[in-house]
Amino acid sequence: MTLATITRVGGPTTVVEFGGWRLLTDPTFDPPGRRYGFGWGTSSRKLTGPAIPVAGLGAVDVVLLTHDHHGDNLDDAGRALLADVGTVVTTTSGARRLGRGARGLRAWETTRLSHPGRPDIEITATPCRHGPPLSTVLVGEVIGFALRWEGQRNGAFWCTGDTVLHRGVLAVADRVRVGTVLLHLGGVRFPITGPIRYSMTARQALRLVDAVRPHVAIPVHYEGWQHFRESPESVERAFADRPEVRWLPLGHPTTVTV
């Protein structure tokens, strides 16, 4: 049996630990209150701070950064800590912007991480579309991450990244056996663009879960920001009868079988 410990920090940020590795997803550690611009007239205010401050985070081996250009996925404090992280894996455009040897992947490209005494990790980028069709040129590149390592019993560990439900993300069901999934939700909308969605609603995420059939599904990135259009309560109601869903308390490590 292989176990992983997952700690939800807030927003998209989690700490994932297994086999001697400590991974961090989408680091966001700024305090609440500030408004962040996302481009093309869109913006959002951060409403809650991280459950764990940077000072209490500890050493991090790898950052999995779905995209670097939105403040709710990489803020100032999160960007500062990248200098102390051995490996950053992100989009190809993000890797160019970040420099410092960041590894850039396009959808379905793979990289491998190795360290003495730990299992190798194979990381495959999965497709994301952070808005309506043909919006990538405006909203920028985003990827998810499917992680495989020796000893997994239930399948890959998958972080969807910020995405709407579309053909590319549904293709994961055909190409990856998923054991545990971090579902980025929120049903993001902005007043300036009306009804257009920029991330999955809970109902859409349920369709994805039905397609992928993971052993464990963990909702993240649905609280703490003004631009989320589904309340935490409505997300929880939508998933209430789903046995595969695990609700992780903020700031408290939770062990799952992978």
Side-chain angles (χ1 to χ4, degrees):
M1 180 183 299
T2 300
L3 302 177
T5 299
I6 306 169
T7 306
R8 190 162 68 98
V9 177
T13 309
T14 64
V15 180
V16 183
E17 302 173 82
F18 59 88
W21 291 98
R22 293 190 88 235
L23 285 69
L24 182 68
T25 65
D26 285 351
T28 54
F29 290 92
D30 284 357
R34 175 179 162 190
R35 179 170 291 278
Y36 297 75
F38 297 147
W40 301 94
T42 61
S43 65
S44 182
R45 188 178 303 280
K46 187 172 186 178
L47 303 176
T48 60
I52 301 171
V54 169
L57 182 62
V60 172
D61 300 304
V62 182
V63 165
L64 302 176
L65 181 58
T66 64
H67 56 303
D68 69 305
H69 53 282
H70 290 159
D72 62 329
N73 294 84
L74 182 68
D75 58 19
D76 290 346
R79 191 177 295 271
L81 73 79
L82 296 183
D84 297 322
V85 174
T87 303
V88 178
V89 186
T90 188
T91 62
T92 54
S93 58
R96 288 194 298 269
R97 286 187 291 266
L98 293 172
R100 300 178 181 172
R103 302 191 190 187
L105 298 177
R106 291 185 171 87
W108 301 121
E109 290 184 337
T110 294
T111 190
R112 182 174 292 272
L113 305 181
S114 299
H115 189 282
R118 302 176 187 171
D120 286 1
I121 309 174
E122 180 186 85
I123 303 175
T124 300
T126 59
C128 292
R129 198 183 75 211
H130 202 1
L134 306 178
S135 64
T136 299
V137 67
L138 299 178
V139 300
E141 286 185 288
V142 184
I143 54 173
F145 300 99
L147 278 60
R148 301 177 179 90
W149 62 88
E150 186 177 356
Q152 286 176 323
R153 187 178 73 178
N154 296 317
F157 184 97
W158 181 33
C159 172
T160 66
D162 286 5
T163 185
V164 297
L165 188 67
H166 70 293
R167 183 183 302 174
V169 74
L170 285 168
V172 173
D174 298 321
R175 300 182 64 159
V176 180
R177 185 170 72 92
V178 176
T180 300
V181 56
L182 301 180
L183 295 166
H184 285 219
L185 304 178
V188 168
R189 284 177 173 169
F190 297 99
I192 196 170
T193 53
I196 294 173
R197 298 278 188 186
Y198 295 89
S199 65
M200 284 190 292
T201 64
R203 185 180 297 274
Q204 290 168 336
L206 284 171
R207 287 177 55 195
L208 181 59
V209 168
D210 286 339
V212 175
R213 301 178 65 183
H215 183 71
V216 176
I218 300 169
V220 298
H221 209 22
Y222 61 92
E223 40 67 40
W225 286 84
Q226 191 179 49
H227 61 306
F228 294 143
R229 290 297 182 261
E230 287 195 322
S231 69
E233 293 77 16
S234 65
V235 172
E236 290 167 9
R237 284 195 301 270
F239 285 102
D241 298 325
R242 302 300 295 250
E244 67 272 75
V245 173
R246 294 280 299 273
W247 299 101
L248 271 56
L250 284 166
H252 296 280
T254 301
T255 300
V256 300
T257 302
V258 293

